[in-house]
Amino acid sequence: MRKFFVSLGRPLYLLLYFLFSKLTKLTLSAPTKIVSRRKKLRRKEVVVYKAPTPYLKNFLKFIYPLTRFHIPILKFPKLKIIWKLKIENWKLICVFVICAIGIYLYIFKGLPSPSALTTQPVALTTHIRDRNGRELYKIYASQNRTLVKLNDIPLQLRQAVIAIEDAEFYQHSGFSLKGILRASWKTLTSQQVEGGSTITQQLVKTALLSPERTLRRKIRELVLSILVETRYSKDQILEMYLNRVGFGGTAYGVEEASQTYFRKSVKDLTLSQAALLAGLPASPTTYSPYGAHPELAQSRQKEVLRRMVSEGFITFGQANAASGEDLQFAPQTIDIAAPHFVMYVKEILAKKYGSQIVDQGGLEVITSLDLAIQKETQMAVSEEVAKVSYLRIGNGAAVVTNPQTGEILAMVGSKNYFDPSFDGNFNVTTALRQPGSSIKPLNYALALTRGFTPASVIDDSPITYKTPGTANYSPVNYDGKFHGKVTLRTALGSSYNIPAVKILAANGVSTFIEFARKLGISSWVDPSNYGLSLTLGGGEVTMLDMATAYGVLANSGSRVDLHPILSVHDSTGKLLEEFRCKPSTWHLAPGTYAADAVEITDCDSTPVLDPKVAYLISNILSDNSARAPAFGFSSDLNVPNVAVKTGTTNNLRDNWTIGYYPGRLVGVWVGNNNNTPMSYVAS
């Protein structure tokens, strides 16, 4: 029993003593007299020895009644004084003891010792593979990290880390009540989870505890943080943190991070470089300049500099100069296949399991990607972009999916991931771009659900829309001509603009936006931001959203969301997640546009469109006669049994082509990452 209470430590003891005194109504009589040990043992009163300090006296006063023995628990040969204790409500004492034991078993049993911070953690390799088990990428933490002393780390880097991670580091005792309340308030008000952990808590979580997100782990983290603060100085804690924290990929500790990103020692970092590194630990996958969104690294760096100014570490002029510095990153020398897809998957895993588990947890990830299709797609993008470079086209992207299952079979985010001259690591397939006329099939699909038919006649003639408070809108066709009365089939097949705008006016912008969301377009949030030009590509979308929406057409009206991950196992082989599909067979219907029957899977599909409407739109998009007035009978779009639609923005910044049949969907984009216009192009 004595060992049990002693192990609780001072923080818990103070809490227990306070609660115990309230529950038992503990009263203390005045001291009587000093007696010898032998005489004391013959007395019938409850006797407690006075400790040399008030703290120990109170500790004995609290612990003695629980033993229910009239013998001393601890011996203090000097100054022995007798007190009489009046104990009431023993049932509450029993309940309290049981609760104390429960707290011990729940929180303190097996709690690591703070001294374990001197032990190096064991890091395991995470494998990301394609659907056939071929390795795409290995994520691992280097065991040969270089430890550096705190004095060898630039002051500006230390200040940057403190400013962005824990501004009150040198004032608190392991945890920040203000930080916890602020994080809780932002989580409740903005519906975005925000951490309130101090540097000490992050060190404890990284080095001593598992990364599981449970209440028990959070309480143990809090207790250990207090104990660590009592054992180590602030400088020691900061040094351990800077040598252990992950900066993305294999870079652990500030020295490894400096070498990885800038090929220089940490002691030689500039303020601009230090600010960028300081912003990485919060989410290395999201803020990495090598990640899927390198532009976020720069915005995070500016946030770090802003925090440093607000904390008085640097001046506004220094921050402004640092943010304007052009950082040159060391080239990546990693062996990686399908890099855009891998970084996309890694970001998904980091959001679900945390960056530490992804980087060190030894996960076994089987993705939906087919490496053979990926290589073929990458080669096609690179070769075709090179052929049209004279049209001021600098980049291209493509995605290949199975619309029946939602599996991503190939993802090419740019013509060359490793070419920094045009931000090659930027993933166009996940970026917002204007779709041009490729959005029109969704508008016409809505019209078919509201009484229109492929034979409905639309007048392709001049029209001006007047809306109070906005400029008049007069749509024009791509060829600058008017074609008179045309059928809906011809208007869609030849991609005439004026009929599409008239159809949207009949459908209603808000109705169309709501309809498009059901099909998979997630970027259109506020209908007040859009007008009739929406059907001509006036609203930005991602290629992945377009693949989902077109997948509804290919999948007979059922929506199946994209699934890049098939299964995830942890380092022990335990299955963490798995994408399962119930096998079924898609039968060839009379008059269908598919090449032949294909085997599909029923993967929690959601019917969002009448199958008849999906068939009619696909039939129109595969009708070469319907597109002949605009593209001719011998265009490259004439692929047997394949539905296809193009899209080019009026400013010539985006050019799309999306084609599909039930078993495959291919989306292609060409343009420039910096939004500079191309020369006159037709898809």
Side-chain angles (χ1 to χ4, degrees), residues 161-227:
V161 170
I162 291 174
I164 194 66
E165 294 289 341
D166 186 5
E168 300 173 348
F169 173 70
Y170 280 99
Q171 285 76 47
H172 61 65
S173 300
F175 68 98
S176 172
L177 183 59
K178 183 189 298 185
I180 294 173
L181 294 177
R182 181 178 63 250
S184 302
W185 173 253
K186 288 188 177 181
T187 300
L188 292 174
T189 55
S190 64
Q191 303 299 317
Q192 294 181 348
V193 178
E194 178 172 316
S197 298
T198 64
I199 285 178
T200 309
Q201 288 176 277
Q202 294 179 55
L203 173 64
V204 166
K205 179 176 64 175
T206 301
L208 300 179
L209 298 175
S210 63
E212 59 183 351
R213 298 181 179 181
T214 63
L215 177 62
R216 178 173 183 263
R217 198 273 297 162
K218 196 65 179 177
I219 296 175
R220 287 161 67 90
E221 173 187 309
L222 185 62
V223 173
L224 272 175
S225 297
I226 297 174
L227 296 177

Side-chain angles (χ1 to χ4, degrees), residues 18-38:
F18 173 77
L19 296 175
F20 178 80
S21 62
K22 296 298 182 184
L23 289 174
T24 60
K25 300 179 181 179
L26 188 64
T27 60
L28 178 65
S29 66
T32 57
K33 58 182 179 179
I34 299 177
V35 296
S36 66
R37 174 179 173 81
R38 181 176 299 176

Side-chain angles (χ1 to χ4, degrees), residues 449 514-520 548-549 551-553 555-560 605-611 613-614:
T449 67
E514 182 180 356
F515 176 76
R517 286 177 185 166
K518 292 180 180 179
L519 270 62
T548 301
V552 173
L553 303 176
N555 202 23
S556 301
S558 292
R559 171 178 167 176
V560 179
S605 60
T606 304
V608 294
L609 183 64
D610 187 335
V613 173

Side-chain angles (χ1 to χ4, degrees), residues 52 71 92 167 174 183 260 299 353 362 377 397 402 442 463-464 471 494 498-499 527 608 622:
I71 59 174
L92 286 178
T260 298
S299 62
Y353 300 106
T377 306
N402 181 345
L442 307 189
I463 189 171
T464 298
S494 295
I498 296 175
V608 294
S622 60

